[in-house]
Amino acid sequence: MTEARTRGPLPRTRRQIYEDRLRRRSLLIAGGSTALVFGALFLLIPLAPGWEKVQRVFFNGEVFARTLPGLLEAFVLDVAIFAWSVPMIAVLGLLVALARDVSNPALYPLRIFATVFTDVFRGVPVVLTVYLIGFGIPGLGLPRPWNSPYIWGTVALVLTYSAYVAEIFRSGIESVHASQRAAAQSLGLRDKDVMRYVILPQAIRRVVPAQMNMLIALQKDVALLSFIGPVEIFRQAGVYKSLMANFTPYVGAALIFLAVTVPATRYADYLLAKQRRQRS
Amino acid sequence: MTKLRLDGVVKRFGANTVCDGIDLEVEAGQMVCLIGASGAGKSTLLRCINLLEPIEEGAIWLDGEDISIPGLDPQPVRTRIGMVFQSFNLFPHMTAAENVMLAPRRVHGQSRDELMPKVEELFRRFGLGDRLHHYPDQLSGGQQQRVAIVRALAMRPEVMLFDEVTSALDPQLVGEVLDVLRVLKEEGMTMVLATHEMGFAREAADKVCFLKDGRIVEEGPPSQIFGAPEREETRAFLARTLK
Ligand SMILES: Nc1ncnc2c1ncn2[C@@H]1O[C@H](COP(=O)(O)OP(=O)(O)O)[C@@H](O)[C@H]1O
Ligand SMILES: [Mg+2]
C-alpha cells in the first residue's frame, strides 16, 4: 500500500470526480447567466430615447476627469471629520452603555440621562439633529472658533452615533453569559473589575462587526454636514454642478464613497462570518 | 472545629422554594458530598453559600461569623470561598495563566512577576505544566476544569465548593479531575461537592447528604448512606442511580 502511494499522486476518488464536475457546471451556468444579463443591459440601455442626454449630463468623461482631483481634495475633509468623530463616539457610546446599567442609587440621574439620550438621538433623523445643533448652537453668538458649524455639525454626528453605538455595546454586554459573571464574582472580584476584565473584553469583541457597519454609515452621513457649511465632498460636487451645469461630479462623489465603503462592508461581513464559524 | 454551618437556609425563586430549611455542618478539612436528583437544589445551595444568591431565611456561618446578614458586602467573603462550576466557566479571552492570575492581581494587588512562580507550581502539581499559555479552547475538558480549580485555589480559599465538576466531561477525563479532589482532601481542604459520582462520594466523602425537593432527607457517613440508608426516598434514589 505504501508503495502505491509513493509512486504518484493519489487517484481521485469517485466523490471528488463528481464534485469537480458539479463545480464546473455551476461555474459555467453562473458565468453564462451573468454575461447574458449584463450584455442585455449594455445593449438595451443605450437604445432608450433619453440615453444620450443622460450620458452627457451624468456620465461625462471629460467633466469627470476635470472634477475628480477637486472632489478627492474635498473628500479629505470628510475623512478628517470621520477620523476625529470615531474615538469620541467610541468613548461616549461606551460610557452611555455603562451608565444605562448602573445600580448605584446616587448615580440614578446618570442612568435616566443615558436612557433619555439614547431615546432622543436614535429617535430624531440625523439630518434634523445636524440642522438643530449645527445652526442652533452657533446661533447663540459664541465667540470664534466656537461659532463654527463645522464643530457643531460634527458634535451632532457624534451624539447621534454614540446613541446607536451605545445600544450595540449594551447588546454585546447582555450577550455574555451569566455564568461568566458568576465565575468572576465567585473569585471575589469587585463588580467594576468583573465588568472591566471579564464582561467588556468579550462583549466588545462580539460587536466589532456591528460597530464596523456603524462606521460605514457614519462615513456616508458626514456628507450631511454639507447642509450647514463645511465644503466637504458633497458640497464641492454641488459647486462643480452649478459651474459646469453637469451632474457628473455627483456620480464621481458617489464612486469615491463606494471606493471606501464597499471594501469596508466586505471586511465587516468577513469578520461576522469568521465569528459565526468560531462560535458554532 | 466547625468551618461552615447552615441554619435553616431557605431560598425561593418567586413562589418556588428551592432550598427549604437546610441545616448543615462542615468541619474543617471535611469533604461533604451533596447527592440527589437534578432539580433537588444542590447547585442553588452552593450558590447561596458563596453569596451568589441571597437567602430568604436562615443563616450561614463561616468560622463562626454570620456571612448571611442582609446588606453585608459579599466580596470579602467570596475571596475566602472558592467555587468551581460544571461548565468550567473559564474566561475565553485569557490564557490559562491569565485566568488564574486575574483575581489575585485585582483583589490582592499582587504582581504578575510575584505570582508566576506560584502559578507554575500549581500547574505542575496538577499535570498542567505545559499549558500555561494556552487559551481555554485549546484545552481538553479535563484540562479546562483543572485550570478552573487552580484558578479558585490561587485565591487561597478556606472552603471550596464544587458543583458537578465532572458532569460535563467525557468519561475518560473524569478520573483526572477526581484525582485533583483527592489531592486537595489529602492537603486538608474543606470541601462541599454536589456530585453524581456515587463511587467517588462513597470512597472519599466524610459525610453524604441526600437532597430532595430542597430538603436534606438523610445525611450520614457514606457507609450508612450507601450501605444501609434509613429512609425510603434515599433507597429509591440510589436504586435508580446505581443501576
Ligand atoms: N435563577 C433561577 N431562577 C429561577 N429558578 C431557578 C433558578 N436557579 C434554579 N432554579 C430552580 O431551582 C430548582 C433547583 O435547581 P438546582 O439548584 O439547579 O438543582 P440541582 O443542582 O440539584 O439540579 C430547579 O427547579 C430550578 O428550576
Ligand atoms: Mg445542579
Side-chain angles (χ1 to χ4, degrees), chain A residues 179-191 193 196-199 201-202 205-206, chain B residues 47 50 52 73 75 78-79 81 83 85 89-94 102-103 106-107 151 155:
Chain A
S179 61
Q180 286 284 311
R181 186 185 297 268
Q185 285 178 330
S186 79
L187 288 167
L189 287 168
R190 296 233 168 247
D191 284 349
D193 287 335
R196 174 157 167 213
Y197 296 105
V198 176
I199 310 288
Q202 299 186 58
R205 254 164 251 219
R206 277 184 205 185
Chain B
R47 291 170 63 87
N50 204 16
L52 287 173
D73 183 3
Q75 188 268 337
R78 291 192 189 125
T79 64
I81 304 177
M83 181 151 180
F85 302 83
N89 300 359
L90 291 180
F91 308 133
H93 57 296
M94 296 181 189
L102 177 66
R106 299 303 154 201
V107 178
R151 181 174 71 176
M155 288 299 283

Side-chain angles (χ1 to χ4, degrees), chain B residues 31 33 35 195-208 222 226:
Chain B
M31 178 190 275
C33 285
I35 62 170
T195 187
H196 286 305
E197 294 290 330
M198 297 304 160
F200 177 76
R202 184 168 199 160
E203 156 218 324
D206 297 296
K207 177 154 78 173
V208 178
F226 294 108

